[in-house]
Amino acid sequence: MGELNANIDTLFAHQYPALAPLWLGAAAPNAFTVHGDDAPPYYLAKKGAGPLGQTDPLTRAFEHAIGGTLTLPGITAHNAYTGATDTLTVRLADQTEMKALHMFTTGDPARNATFVQFADPNYFITDFPASTCETCINPAFAWNHGDIQPEIASTWLGFVGPGVQRQGSNATWTDHADVRPTMLSLLGLKDPYQSDGRVVTQILTGGNSDNGGNSNNGNSNNGGNSNNEGGNGGTLERLGTVYKQLNAPFGQFGMDTLRASTHAIKSDDATYTAISGQIADLTTKRDALAAQIRTALNDVAFSHGRLSEDQARAWIDQANELLASASNLPG
C-alpha cells in the first residue's frame, strides 16, 4: 500500500531521448526542476541566463513533452498496481492561468513556476536522482494532496456551537478562505485586514439566515449583521455565492479557465497566444469585480456596512457574465 512515485527525470529521458540532452546532465544548456507533488510546478531555465519565458520555444516544446498536444498524451508512467500505462497529465496551468488561480506572486518572482502540471491523482511526481526507480510504490505515504480531483480537493469541516444551526450535513459550496471570517463573525471578532473569504451565512442561526440572511445570531453588537443591516439577505447571499464561484481557485471560473489553459498549452502557438490572451483579459476583469464584492461583503459582515439591492444585483449580473465567458472559452 502506498502512493505511486514517478521519477520525472528518468521518464523524460526515456520517453524523449531527442529532448533530454537539452535539459538533463551537466552538459545540457538548459535545466528544469520540479517541486515534488501530485500537482508539481516546473521551473525551466537557461543555464547562466535565468528563467525561460512563457512563450519561449524551449518552454513550449517542454510543455508539450510533459503535458501532451491535442493528439499526443505527453508523459506516461507504468502503474505498479494495475500494470497499465497511465497518462500523467490531467490539466496544465501556465503563468497566465496561475494568476487566475491565485497561484502567482508579485512579492517574490523567483517563486513563480513556469507552469504547473495537475497530474493523475495516484501519482506523486518528483525529480529524484536517476538512480531511483522510474515508477514505484512508496509505502511511506498512503494518499496524495494538492490536486484538483474531488477525492483530493473536497474536504469536510464541522461547525458547532452558539449561533450555528443544528442541521447535520450542509452542501453549501465553500473553501478554506471562508473558515476564518465565519469563525470571527460567530465570536464577535474582526481582523485588521480584509479576508478573501466570506461568512458562510447558510449555517448560521438567527437573522432569517435560512432565507439567505447575513446573520450572526441577529445580534449586531457581537460583530455580525442581522438580515436587516446589510440589505436584502437573499440577494446578499446570492452575491456571496457567485463571488465564491468567481474568485475561489476551485470555483467555476478557476476550473473553466484551467480547462481552457490546458487546451491552449497543448495547441499550436497561435491558438495558445489567442486563448491565453482571453484568459488574461477575463482574469483582469474578475480581479477588479472580486475586489469590489470582497470589500462590500467584509464591510457588511464586520463593519455594519450597508449594500444596496441594486448594487448587489448589478454585481451578480457582472459576475455571471464573467462566469459565462469563462465557460465558453475554447477547450
Side-chain angles (χ1 to χ4, degrees), residues 195-255:
S195 173
D196 278 328
R198 55 115 185 186
V199 177
V200 185
T201 56
Q202 291 93 331
I203 68 170
L204 306 182
T205 61
N208 194 27
S209 62
D210 282 340
N211 294 319
N214 183 39
S215 167
N216 191 38
N217 298 321
N219 184 353
S220 63
N221 63 16
N222 67 1
N225 292 282
S226 69
N227 193 35
N228 296 322
E229 285 192 88
N232 183 283
T235 303
L236 193 66
E237 187 155 291
R238 289 197 299 276
L239 180 63
T241 298
V242 77
Y243 167 73
K244 298 307 302 183
Q245 293 304 318
L246 187 67
N247 200 51
F250 285 102
Q252 180 184 332
F253 183 90
M255 292 299 96

Side-chain angles (χ1 to χ4, degrees), residues 160-176:
V160 63
V164 180
Q165 296 182 38
R166 297 184 63 181
Q167 59 178 348
S169 62
N170 184 300
T172 300
W173 200 98
T174 68
D175 71 353
H176 290 83

Side-chain angles (χ1 to χ4, degrees), residues 11-295:
L11 289 172
F12 185 81
H14 294 163
Q15 294 178 34
Y16 295 97
L19 285 177
L22 296 175
W23 297 97
L24 297 171
N30 311 295
F32 75 88
T33 186
V34 171
H35 180 85
D37 207 309
D38 186 38
Y42 286 75
Y43 297 81
L44 310 185
K46 181 176 288 294
K47 291 179 180 178
L52 289 173
Q54 192 72 80
T55 58
D56 190 295
L58 287 167
T59 299
R60 299 286 292 127
F62 190 92
E63 288 172 336
H64 284 162
I66 298 297
T69 66
L70 297 181
T71 56
L72 298 173
I75 207 84
T76 60
H78 172 76
N79 190 317
Y81 282 112
T82 66
T85 298
D86 294 334
T87 299
L88 287 184
T89 299
V90 176
R91 290 283 186 263
L92 295 163
D94 63 1
Q95 292 184 346
T96 299
E97 176 59 17
M98 288 162 63
K99 293 174 183 177
L101 297 175
H102 305 292
M103 296 177 68
F104 194 88
T105 177
T106 57
D108 184 4
R111 296 183 63 183
N112 293 318
T114 310
F115 72 95
V116 177
Q117 174 193 24
F118 295 92
D120 182 307
N122 292 310
Y123 287 85
F124 184 91
I125 299 172
T126 186
D127 52 356
F128 285 126
S131 59
T132 62
C133 64
E134 185 165 283
T135 58
C136 58
I137 296 171
N138 182 358
F141 296 91
W143 195 249
N144 268 330
H145 70 279
D147 215 323
I148 59 172
Q149 290 81 6
E151 62 269 30
I152 290 177
S154 299
T155 58
W156 291 93
L157 174 71
F159 272 97
V160 63
V164 180
Q165 296 182 38
R166 297 184 63 181
Q167 59 178 348
S169 62
N170 184 300
T172 300
W173 200 98
T174 68
D175 71 353
H176 290 83
D178 297 337
V179 177
R180 185 175 178 85
T182 304
M183 290 174 63
L184 292 175
S185 177
L186 285 165
L187 294 167
L189 302 173
K190 61 187 296 185
D191 270 321
Y193 58 86
Q194 189 181 89
S195 173
D196 278 328
R198 55 115 185 186
V199 177
V200 185
T201 56
Q202 291 93 331
I203 68 170
L204 306 182
T205 61
N208 194 27
S209 62
D210 282 340
N211 294 319
N214 183 39
S215 167
N216 191 38
N217 298 321
N219 184 353
S220 63
N221 63 16
N222 67 1
N225 292 282
S226 69
N227 193 35
N228 296 322
E229 285 192 88
N232 183 283
T235 303
L236 193 66
E237 187 155 291
R238 289 197 299 276
L239 180 63
T241 298
V242 77
Y243 167 73
K244 298 307 302 183
Q245 293 304 318
L246 187 67
N247 200 51
F250 285 102
Q252 180 184 332
F253 183 90
M255 292 299 96
D256 281 341
T257 55
L258 180 58
R259 169 186 49 77
S261 173
T262 305
H263 181 78
I265 292 171
K266 290 187 173 189
S267 299
D268 60 76
D269 288 348
T271 302
Y272 168 73
T273 300
I275 297 175
S276 291
Q278 291 177 276
I279 294 173
D281 179 62
L282 288 176
T283 300
T284 298
K285 293 176 180 177
R286 186 281 307 273
D287 289 346
L289 179 59
Q292 292 178 293
I293 298 173
R294 178 169 58 246
T295 297

